[in-house]
Amino acid sequence: MPRYFFHISDSTSLDDAGTELLDIAAAQTAALQTSGEIIKQGSMETLWKGIPWEMKVTDGPLPEGRTLFVLRFSAIQK
């Protein structure tokens, strides 16, 4: 079973352990669910200051891991 690594752009710790998931579709679902939980917890204070953040999903720990996909989040308050 493949292992996927989930990295948050403004986090000081990168995902060095990864998570075993069935396939890339399962990794995409996990990335969306995790991002939603982070947003629900209000942990992305910089998001409302116009500073975007992203979740990068790789096939190995950084910097060696190859990027499979990236979720980007931004907000503009007017």
Side-chain angles (χ1 to χ4, degrees):
M1 193 173 312
R3 185 173 294 271
Y4 298 90
F5 297 77
F6 299 82
H7 313 284
I8 306 287
S9 63
D10 68 345
S11 177
T12 56
S13 64
L14 299 174
D15 182 1
D16 293 329
T19 303
E20 284 187 357
L21 296 165
L22 185 60
D23 56 19
I24 197 159
Q28 291 167 334
T29 298
L32 287 171
Q33 290 172 340
T34 302
S35 298
E37 288 302 316
I38 291 169
I39 291 169
K40 271 201 274 189
Q41 293 171 6
S43 302
M44 296 286 121
E45 297 160 1
T46 57
L47 186 66
W48 290 107
K49 295 177 182 175
I51 302 169
W53 65 276
E54 65 183 31
M55 176 181 285
K56 182 183 292 189
V57 179
T58 63
D59 63 359
L62 290 179
E64 299 86 23
R66 180 177 56 103
T67 300
L68 302 173
F69 62 90
V70 178
L71 299 177
R72 289 191 176 99
F73 299 89
S74 63
I76 299 171
Q77 187 173 356
K78 294 189 177 205

